[in-house]
């Protein structure tokens, strides 16, 4: 009976300490060189993207990417540049979601990280920007 | 197998199951933490912390009045 009790206590303590560990992980690791570099590149690109969001040429898609919504407001000569900008942004976003999942030891979290970001990009978009919901594009 | 050995074996099995359950907590996606991390990155990318955000600006103006 004493063995049983000792085991019970040991398991209980272990369980509590593990729960404590899980609890202590209130933050995800985002301070890695790879994540910082992506963040900085995206921040610099934002100077070019912000007017596009404002004009409605580019919108925030529901899959955590940015998408050309209405290219007609962009002069024909600049559309190639616009597409390159979008492609670069989406490549960085994909890498960001992947790196966050990896930095936290769970590469399989990538899709969930993407979903979380998609939701927050849309929720935090400035008024006047176009965002994609389940029913299509809407202007905030 | 004596009674106490049997009990001990059962206890270990129960404990192992319990522990697995506890460890599972770590495997679930931490949605709240991810949202916080997303917000911190969005703040940086969109420069929302240096009152570029109209919402923050409005709040600050409101407080000043």
């Amino acid at each position: 009976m004493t063995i049983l009790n000792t085991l019970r206590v040991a398991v209980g303590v272990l369980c509590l300490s593990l729960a404590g560990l899980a609890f202590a992980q209130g933050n995800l690791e985002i301070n890695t060189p790879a994540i910082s570099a992506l963040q900085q590149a995206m921040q610099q690109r934002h100077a070019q993207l912000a007017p596009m969001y404002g004009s409605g040429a580019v919108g925030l898609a529901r899959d955590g990417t940015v998408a050309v919504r209405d290219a007609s407001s962009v002069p024909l000569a600049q559309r190639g540049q616009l597409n390159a900008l979008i492609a670069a942004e989406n490549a960085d976003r994909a890498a960001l979601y992947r790196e966050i999942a990896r930095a936290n030891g769970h590469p399989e979290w990538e899709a969930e990280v993407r979903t979380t970001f998609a939701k927050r990009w849309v929720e935090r978009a400035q008024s006047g920007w176009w965002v994609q919901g389940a029913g299509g594009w809407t202007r905030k | 197998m004596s009674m106490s050995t049997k009990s001990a074996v059962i206890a270990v099995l129960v404990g192992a199951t319990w522990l697995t359950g506890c460890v599972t907590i770590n495997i679930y996606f931490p949605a709240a933490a991810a949202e916080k991390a997303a917000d911190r990155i969005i703040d940086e990318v969109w420069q929302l912390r240096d009152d570029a955000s109209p919402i923050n600006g409005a709040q600050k103006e409101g407080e000043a009045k």
Side-chain angles (χ1 to χ4, degrees):
Chain A
M1 229 29 210
T2 41
I3 298 174
L4 190 69
N5 279 338
T6 315
L7 268 170
R8 236 185 229 158
V9 170
V11 166
V13 166
L14 256 171
C15 194
L16 271 178
S17 60
L18 277 169
L21 255 178
F23 201 69
Q25 290 181 334
N27 291 312
L28 282 191
E29 172 64 75
I30 52 168
N31 295 320
T32 71
I35 294 170
S36 300
L38 287 164
Q39 199 173 303
Q40 209 184 337
M42 289 167 69
Q43 186 190 310
Q44 281 167 7
R45 196 177 301 110
H46 182 65
Q48 286 169 277
L49 279 171
M52 306 275 188
Y53 295 140
S55 73
V58 177
L60 298 157
R62 56 192 298 231
D63 63 353
T65 62
V66 292
V68 176
R69 200 197 60 86
D70 175 23
S72 66
S73 63
V74 179
L76 208 57
Q78 284 171 30
R79 286 192 201 164
Q81 204 187 340
L82 170 69
N83 287 331
L85 195 66
I86 301 285
E89 174 70 9
N90 286 336
D92 278 357
R93 285 184 176 212
L96 177 73
Y97 306 148
R98 191 173 55 241
E99 282 304 324
I100 292 173
R102 249 176 39 143
N104 289 278
H106 289 275
E108 76 279 7
W109 283 354
E110 184 183 338
E112 281 158 303
V113 170
R114 176 184 283 273
T115 310
T116 307
F117 267 84
K119 183 171 149 249
R120 294 310 285 158
W121 289 122
V122 166
E123 282 171 0
R124 303 194 61 195
Q126 287 176 25
S127 74
W129 291 9
W130 286 82
V131 297
Q132 193 183 35
W137 290 100
T138 48
R139 194 160 184 242
K140 282 201 96 178
Chain B
M1 210 186 260
S2 77
M3 198 59 189
S4 65
T5 324
K6 243 185 209 168
S7 305
V9 168
I10 290 168
V12 167
L13 282 176
V14 167
T17 313
W18 195 359
L19 266 179
T20 314
C22 289
V23 171
T24 311
I25 294 169
N26 272 341
I27 293 161
Y28 284 134
F29 180 67
E35 206 160 290
K36 248 199 299 183
D39 280 345
R40 269 188 291 160
I41 288 176
I42 293 171
D43 280 342
E44 280 294 316
V45 172
W46 283 353
Q47 298 279 286
L48 297 179
R49 277 193 305 197
D50 316 321
D51 25 356
S53 157
I55 298 161
N56 284 344
Q59 274 170 353
K60 269 173 203 155
E61 271 171 37
E63 280 161 15
K65 272 171 201 167

